[in-house]
Amino acid sequence: MGRVPPMSEAYEEFGLLADNAREVGLAWNGRPAVVRREARMRDGRTLSAVVWGSGPPSAVLIHGRSQNAHTWDTVALALLADDPNRAFVAVDLPGHGHSQWKDDHDYRAEANAPDVLVAADALAPQARLLVGMSLGGLTSLALLGDAPKRFDRLILVDITPGVNPGKGRAIAEFTSGPERFASFDEILERTVRYNPGRSEASLRRGVLHNAREFPDGSWSWRWDPGRPAVTPGSLAPLWDVLGELTLPLTLVRGSASPVVDDDDVAELVRRRPDAEVVVVEGAGHSIQGDRPLELAELLSARWPTPSARERP
């Protein structure tokens, strides 16, 4: 695989976007409007986010456990290719990406939700669409349980509060692995091994966004291993939230995902008979990585139309 130079020489946060576009066949006409911004939490911590587009953001995207805002990069490029006037925010959950770690290391959905709401109000006050993948989807439900009128539409990406325990063992095994790696080769090799459906080039970009190098040449993940984000029985209240929501709800499910099964879908439809369920063929749990263009097309079709609330 070949050792990469130190981060200071090899990595520029938005310098990999042309590679994202090239890999999926999107036209590259130069870097779109994209910046990193921060929102300050009530306790003084900061939550970081990537802001795409130059207008008022109309959507907030939340990644999953052990990921970061850059998991949406290819989806974001496809969304802007479809409509260059779009603007949206991809947040780094607390303890992930460039967001600060918490002293209590608590990254459960209900603990994340107040922080994400503060960041949404600060960085995307007019946003009407909420998109949450995995832990980001659970966080979205917790947020809407606290503020049910804050958003007008929810899209869950391969997640429900769950019915059958013990699913996604390989994902849990990957995230609970070593916290330090002797080299970039070692951290990349492990990532490739646990993501057989993804290209090595895309996983290399993901590691560069999601890991950091130390002076001795070793590497570690940016996320805080902290406490478990999901514990037995902890998600049951989120089923109640889901059932009480009145906003339009879409579940996007990966056909090859081990995380959402037929029982989950049945329970979701029982509680929300009007919910839309869409299956993305060939996608695993991380649909945004496995089938980014398909996911972008699904989001585009459900994107909020401009309104007075979105104008400066």
Side-chain angles (χ1 to χ4, degrees), residues 34-268:
V34 57
V35 296
R36 180 167 287 281
R37 294 185 59 191
E38 292 182 343
R40 188 162 297 278
M41 303 296 103
R42 296 182 180 93
D43 62 2
R45 287 178 298 111
T46 56
L47 201 74
S48 191
V50 175
V51 180
W52 295 86
S54 55
S58 56
V60 174
L61 282 58
I62 313 176
H63 63 79
R65 173 71 167 162
S66 78
Q67 298 177 341
N68 62 86
H70 285 292
T71 193
W72 303 106
D73 281 359
T74 305
V75 172
L77 292 173
L79 288 170
L80 291 174
D82 178 67
D83 182 354
N85 295 316
R86 282 200 177 112
F88 45 95
V89 172
V91 303
D92 281 335
L93 281 170
H96 292 72
H98 293 267
S99 292
Q100 291 183 308
W101 292 15
K102 297 173 66 176
D103 290 340
D104 63 6
H105 308 287
D106 185 358
Y107 304 108
R108 294 171 299 152
E110 59 266 37
N112 292 336
D115 286 351
V116 174
L117 181 57
V118 169
D121 287 346
L123 303 177
Q126 299 175 15
R128 299 163 55 198
L129 172 65
L130 184 60
V131 181
M133 182 266 168
S134 197
L135 178 59
L138 300 175
T139 298
S140 298
L141 287 171
L143 184 158
L144 290 167
D146 295 336
K149 302 298 184 182
R150 174 58 179 83
F151 291 90
D152 295 344
R153 186 175 196 121
L154 172 63
I155 298 178
L156 297 175
V157 179
D158 208 66
I159 195 66
T160 74
V163 173
N164 300 315
K167 296 177 297 181
R169 289 187 179 90
I171 297 170
E173 183 181 328
F174 175 69
T175 59
S176 62
E179 295 180 21
R180 198 79 167 241
F181 299 83
S183 66
F184 184 86
D185 281 357
E186 186 175 301
I187 195 171
L188 179 59
E189 186 279 329
R190 178 178 173 82
T191 305
V192 170
R193 178 156 35 97
Y194 278 88
N195 294 273
R198 299 270 300 280
S199 72
E200 183 177 314
S202 70
L203 295 173
R204 182 183 184 278
R205 289 193 302 270
V207 172
L208 287 171
H209 287 308
N210 208 18
R212 51 190 164 196
E213 185 182 16
F214 292 90
D216 64 357
S218 65
W219 289 71
S220 75
W221 297 112
R222 287 186 178 273
W223 77 75
D224 181 358
R227 292 160 50 186
V230 176
T231 55
S234 66
L235 302 183
L238 296 182
W239 275 122
D240 295 332
V241 171
L242 185 150
E244 292 166 3
L245 292 175
T246 58
L247 78 178
L249 169 64
T250 300
L251 169 65
V252 182
R253 176 186 179 187
S255 69
S257 171
V259 173
V260 175
D261 63 20
D262 292 343
D263 291 340
D264 296 327
V265 175
E267 181 63 12
L268 181 143

